[in-house]
Amino acid sequence: MALPNDIVLRPRFKFELPKSNEAVLKDFEEAKTAQSDFIVSRIDDHVFIKFPTAKQHFWSPQLHLEINEVSKESCMLHGLFGPNPTVWTLFMFLHFVVALVFVAFGIWAYSNWSLKQSYAVQLSVMFLMVVIWIALYFAGSIGKASSKKDMLALNDFMNGVLNRED
């Protein structure tokens, strides 16, 4: 079941193609050598499509495709739109730090509460971590929205390669 795009930060899709996976991978290999506005790289059954460095910005998306063989005449294509892996790692690191600080201050607040000492500072920091987490979510959503045009361009390129006649 597909999730609505308005709540998913890294949209995914999958569909079956009436071609062998090697034929589809070969089409992307040929697209790599053709004059294109995208950088196409392949590692085994994985294809990565991204913008050239000169056209990239902080929120530039990339498209990761995994093309698995179903039978000799068909394959399953799994796609994932996402930011540059460095940006994604930064966001995950920040989420981890926020969660760690929230838990640590929660334990400290509980300890102070059970010792009947003041715990207002700890609760304030925990509230601040919730606000930061919400801000991180909205920053990711804004980044996704600002790169929607780029995601459509990547999708159009992928569809162009997949629908090319041999």
Side-chain angles (χ1 to χ4, degrees):
M1 179 176 148
L3 292 173
N5 259 356
D6 57 337
I7 63 166
V8 178
L9 288 179
R10 293 179 14 148
R12 300 170 189 270
F13 59 91
K14 76 176 184 177
F15 51 87
E16 193 164 339
L17 296 167
K19 288 178 159 179
S20 71
N21 73 326
E22 283 304 319
V24 174
L25 290 167
K26 183 177 169 266
D27 289 345
F28 280 104
E29 284 287 334
E30 291 171 3
K32 181 188 338 186
T33 59
Q35 190 67 1
S36 169
D37 291 337
F38 301 98
I39 297 171
V40 179
S41 55
R42 176 186 169 194
I43 301 172
D44 297 327
D45 290 347
H46 299 266
V47 175
F48 299 91
I49 306 169
K50 58 186 176 180
F51 287 91
T53 308
K55 293 184 178 182
Q56 286 183 9
H57 53 84
F58 185 75
W59 296 110
S60 287
Q62 70 177 25
L63 177 56
H64 171 211
L65 303 173
E66 183 177 357
I67 303 161
N68 298 320
E69 182 178 16
V70 173
S71 68
K72 293 290 183 197
E73 301 86 33
S74 67
C75 64
M76 183 65 70
L77 184 141
H78 298 267
L80 169 68
F81 287 100
N84 180 311
T86 306
V87 172
W88 188 249
T89 302
L90 171 68
F91 265 77
M92 290 300 97
F93 174 75
L94 291 175
H95 279 279
F96 175 75
V97 168
V98 167
L100 187 67
V101 170
F102 181 86
V103 169
F105 274 79
I107 292 169
W108 190 8
Y110 176 74
S111 297
N112 281 2
W113 173 78
S114 63
L115 295 172
K116 302 200 183 334
Q117 295 180 355
S118 174
Y119 50 90
V121 172
Q122 292 82 3
L123 288 180
S124 299
V125 172
M126 289 174 66
F127 177 74
L128 178 64
M129 292 302 108
V130 171
V131 170
I132 290 172
W133 179 80
I134 292 169
L136 285 172
Y137 175 80
F138 282 112
S141 296
I142 290 168
K144 179 183 142 197
S146 71
S147 59
K148 193 168 207 147
K149 187 177 77 171
D150 293 341
M151 289 170 61
L152 290 172
L154 288 166
N155 191 55
D156 290 345
F157 176 76
M158 176 198 69
N159 286 328
V161 171
L162 293 175
N163 295 326
R164 196 171 23 181
E165 296 296 320
D166 292 330

